[in-house]
Amino acid sequence: MKRPTAALWAVNQLADAQPELIHELLDIQRSLRQPLDPSQLQELSRRRRRVVATLTKSAAKLLEDAGQPASDQTLKRVSNTLLAANTEHEEELLEQGRLQEELAPSGFEEAFGGLGALESAGDDSPSPAEVRREEEADALATEAKAAKRDADALAAEAASLRRQLELVEEQGAAARKKADDLARKAKSAAARVRRR
């Protein structure tokens, strides 16, 4: 067997390094082969760009960790191979990390993204600035969820304290009423003693 290219080696390593993302990519690819309305097509294409960008970034790290150069050309071949797995056999090999050769999109797929995706394989990856913006948006969303959880907890605590205060006030009112009743009885008893 001939030695795999750096791009092919990196793609096969992704099966172990990022199995969930490989599975997600293949699900998206299958969905893109179905009839879709424009909004579905746009959403799936956006998701595919994000997944391929993440996988390509992971492949670059795998190459660097192995002491291999992660050139733009190599990474383009990685993304092309990821996007070109369109038969059941190719998808199975990609998922198992057992591809024997790099895959390249056909002319039709390059032009039309395989029956649905609007962008070509190499240009699907968002720019570093776009990736950074998405990561920042995700971080802000996480912070917002945490802040909402904290606010909900504080609101629940405040409601509990209000209920406790209301209970104390009710008990105080009952105690005052009882004290007033006792005072009236004492006054009445004192008056009866004086009359004797």
Side-chain angles (χ1 to χ4, degrees), residues 2-13:
K2 67 179 182 178
R3 185 178 177 184
T5 63
L8 179 59
W9 176 86
V11 169
N12 283 333
Q13 294 302 306

Side-chain angles (χ1 to χ4, degrees), residues 34-48:
Q34 308 303 316
L36 300 167
D37 64 43
S39 63
Q40 291 173 314
L41 182 60
Q42 186 177 23
E43 171 61 18
L44 283 172
S45 296
R46 186 187 66 77
R47 281 180 55 205
R48 184 174 79 162

Side-chain angles (χ1 to χ4, degrees), residues 7-16 93-94 96-100:
L8 179 59
W9 176 86
V11 169
N12 283 333
Q13 294 302 306
L14 289 171
D16 286 329
L93 291 177
L94 176 58
Q96 294 172 356
R98 293 174 47 225
L99 282 170
Q100 298 297 311

Side-chain angles (χ1 to χ4, degrees), residues 121-149:
D123 296 328
D124 270 0
S125 299
S127 69
E130 289 172 326
V131 172
R132 191 165 55 253
R133 279 196 297 272
E134 283 196 14
E135 288 172 350
E136 288 171 357
D138 289 343
L140 287 172
T142 301
E143 286 179 20
K145 286 178 184 174
K148 185 180 185 307
R149 281 195 300 272

Side-chain angles (χ1 to χ4, degrees), residues 47-76:
R47 281 180 55 205
R48 184 174 79 162
R49 281 198 307 274
R50 190 177 65 237
V51 170
V52 170
T54 303
L55 285 169
T56 303
K57 189 175 178 181
S58 182
K61 186 174 187 319
L62 287 167
L63 286 165
E64 288 165 4
D65 289 348
Q68 296 288 326
S71 67
D72 289 345
Q73 184 61 32
T74 297
L75 295 180
K76 182 172 175 86

